[in-house]
């Protein structure tokens, strides 16, 4: 559709990204700025603003990657997820930072097209500074300085350094957008603590009159990253832990988890139809185990429909809350067939 404004992006995203409207709203503004920069550069004019860079903070399964992937889908821009957990700084064992762009090439996207795309740097909290003083921090500080070059806008050689891939050429990152994702558990815990307890401010100065004020997220980020990297972030968006009612909505919405799973299950001639109590039990388990939307998807596909698919059953599979409880109990036991 026409994504010529933040509101248009927001309305398109919220059709599939359920229960996250405040997050989607802020994210839409950042992606609207990227689309505007791409349009300006298409006219041959270099924007005066740096590459768009936003940070998504939230626990695993909360929907960070899904939100970014959905924007890539509706915008039709080149999109790729880069796993930061395996990256080390130059001259050390591991993947080099430039290899993060190889995901685009593996999708058949040319480097010239990549230059208007979006790179999601996942698990970035794993690159936390070790704060050990004189020791070279090959997995933290060293990587942060290399990533900083991308965010500032630089000419990067992709492949051909210490990877098994031949050089793919060079790309200019100035016209790209970067989404930095990670759990950042200590930040999430500080935010949750501040929300539920009447304590003094966390992570910034202030007196007793500041009680109840949310902590400064950017100052909390300085415990993970160098100031230069934090200062390159245009927006810090915290994805909160979903409530049980939100998980129920995520599961049962017309474009939610159950509908998406049924779209796939139709290839087997099968449909799953859980009762409202079954959906509540599913959401309660996902919240209890902190697996959230990802956990609900896994429970549906790995346990609830596994036997039906093996038996080649077709039609509608009715699922009760008792079925969900049995499936949960099955997950707690050692799987059969694994000697």
């Amino acid at each position: 559709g026409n994504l010529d404004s933040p509101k248009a992006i927001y309305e398109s995203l919220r059709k599939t990204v359920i229960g996250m409207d405040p997050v989607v709203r802020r994210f839409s503004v950042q992606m609207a700025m990227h689309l505007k920069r791409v349009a300006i550069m298409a006219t041959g004019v270099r924007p005066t603003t740096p590459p768009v860079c936003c940070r998504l903070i939230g626990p695993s399964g909360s929907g960070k990657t899904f939100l970014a992937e959905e924007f890539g889908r509706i915008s039709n821009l080149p999109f790729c997820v880069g796993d930061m957990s395996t990256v080390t700084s130059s001259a050390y064992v591991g993947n080099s930072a430039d290899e993060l762009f190889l995901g685009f090439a593996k999708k058949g996207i040319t480097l010239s097209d990549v230059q208007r795309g979006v790179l999601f740097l996942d698990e970035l909290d794993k690159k936390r500074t070790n704060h050990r003083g004189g020791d070279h921090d090959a997995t933290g500080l060293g990587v942060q300085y290399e990533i900083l070059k991308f965010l500032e806008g630089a000419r990067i050689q992709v492949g051909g350094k210490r990877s098994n891939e031949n050089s793919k050429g060079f790309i200019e990152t100035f016209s790209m957008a970067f989404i930095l994702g990670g759990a950042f558990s200590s930040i999430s815990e500080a935010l949750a603590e501040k929300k539920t307890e009447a304590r003094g401010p966390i992570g910034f100065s202030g007196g007793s009159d500041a009680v109840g004020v949310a902590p400064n997220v950017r100052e909390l980020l300085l415990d993970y990253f160098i100031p230069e990297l934090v200062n390159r972030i245009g927006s810090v968006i915290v994805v909160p832990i979903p409530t049980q009612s939100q998980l129920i909505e995520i599961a049962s919405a017309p474009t939610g988890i159950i509908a998406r799973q049924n779209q796939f299950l139709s290839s087997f001639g099968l449909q799953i139809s859980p009762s409202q109590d079954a959906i509540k039990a599913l959401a309660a388990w996902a919240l209890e185990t902190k697996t959230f939307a990802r956990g609900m998807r896994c429970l549906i596909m790995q346990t609830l429909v596994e036997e039906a698919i093996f038996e080649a059953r077709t039609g509608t599979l009715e699922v009760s809350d008792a079925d969900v409880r049995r499936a949960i109990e099955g997950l707690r036991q050692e799987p059969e067939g694994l000697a």
Side-chain angles (χ1 to χ4, degrees), residues 64-335:
K64 303 183 299 296
T65 306
F66 180 66
L67 171 60
E69 288 174 336
E70 283 298 283
F71 174 73
R73 181 184 63 82
I74 67 171
S75 67
N76 203 31
L77 288 177
F79 175 84
C80 183
V81 176
D83 182 7
M84 291 298 304
S85 63
T86 62
V87 175
T88 59
S89 58
S90 297
Y92 285 82
V93 174
N95 294 329
S96 58
D98 65 280
E99 292 181 78
L100 294 165
F101 296 93
L102 291 176
F104 290 107
K106 291 175 181 177
K107 290 183 175 182
I109 303 170
T110 63
L111 292 186
S112 59
D113 282 336
V114 170
Q115 293 174 169
R116 63 189 184 92
V118 180
L119 179 60
F120 184 97
L121 301 179
D122 199 14
E123 306 285 356
L124 192 58
D125 52 329
K126 303 297 190 297
K127 301 293 104 178
R128 187 174 189 167
T129 306
N130 66 20
H131 300 295
R132 288 204 299 264
D135 294 343
H136 180 69
D137 186 3
T139 61
L141 188 66
V143 174
Q144 291 181 32
Y145 276 112
E146 294 191 17
I147 295 299
L148 181 63
K149 293 187 296 184
F150 303 164
L151 308 186
E152 292 174 334
R155 189 168 186 261
I156 305 294
Q157 181 182 350
V158 180
K161 292 183 178 179
R162 56 191 176 98
S163 69
N164 294 323
E165 300 278 350
N166 294 327
S167 176
K168 304 296 183 182
F170 292 83
I171 64 168
E172 296 280 353
T173 66
F174 185 77
S175 54
M176 295 186 65
F178 297 92
I179 303 170
L180 315 180
F184 297 92
S185 56
S186 65
I187 295 178
S188 297
E189 289 168 3
L191 293 172
E193 179 179 309
K194 197 62 181 180
K195 184 177 180 180
T196 57
E197 298 183 12
R199 294 185 178 180
I202 302 174
F204 65 104
S205 59
S208 59
D209 59 341
V211 171
V213 178
N216 187 323
V217 178
R218 290 182 181 272
E219 288 199 15
L220 295 176
L221 282 171
L222 290 173
D223 192 42
Y224 284 82
F225 302 117
I226 56 176
E228 297 92 328
L229 185 57
V230 175
N231 291 338
R232 286 291 173 183
I233 302 168
S235 181
V236 179
I237 304 173
V238 179
V239 182
I241 294 175
T243 63
Q244 184 173 348
S245 61
Q246 286 174 323
L247 287 172
I248 291 172
E249 183 184 4
I250 290 168
S252 56
T255 56
I257 290 173
I258 295 170
R260 285 172 173 260
Q261 299 303 333
N262 276 335
Q263 187 175 11
F264 171 72
L265 289 172
S266 64
S267 62
F268 293 94
L270 186 66
Q271 294 282 279
I272 184 172
S273 179
S275 67
Q276 192 61 32
D277 286 340
I279 295 174
K280 289 180 180 178
L282 191 65
W285 172 80
L287 189 61
E288 178 188 351
T289 58
K290 297 182 179 180
T291 55
F292 312 122
R294 185 173 295 136
M296 290 193 292
R297 285 195 299 269
C298 291
L299 186 62
I300 290 173
M301 296 306 296
Q302 293 181 4
T303 308
L304 289 174
V305 301
E306 190 176 71
E307 184 177 353
I309 291 176
F310 180 79
E311 297 292 343
R313 292 174 53 184
T314 58
T316 300
L317 179 65
E318 303 287 346
V319 177
S320 67
D321 56 330
D323 295 324
V324 173
R325 288 196 295 271
R326 281 193 295 271
I328 292 170
E329 186 61 31
L331 289 177
R332 293 175 178 151
Q333 299 172 1
E334 184 177 353

Side-chain angles (χ1 to χ4, degrees), residues 13-82:
L13 283 174
R14 67 194 297 265
K15 292 176 182 177
T16 53
V17 183
I18 311 299
M20 294 171 55
D21 284 1
V23 171
V24 173
R25 181 187 178 99
R26 295 192 62 202
F27 181 78
S28 297
V29 173
Q30 295 299 307
M31 294 302 100
M33 288 193 289
H34 174 59
L35 288 174
K36 182 62 69 176
R37 292 183 81 256
V38 168
I40 291 172
M41 296 195 74
T43 66
V45 177
R46 186 178 177 90
T48 56
T49 58
V52 170
C53 176
C54 67
R55 186 180 297 279
L56 292 177
I57 295 176
S60 177
S62 61
K64 303 183 299 296
T65 306
F66 180 66
L67 171 60
E69 288 174 336
E70 283 298 283
F71 174 73
R73 181 184 63 82
I74 67 171
S75 67
N76 203 31
L77 288 177
F79 175 84
C80 183
V81 176

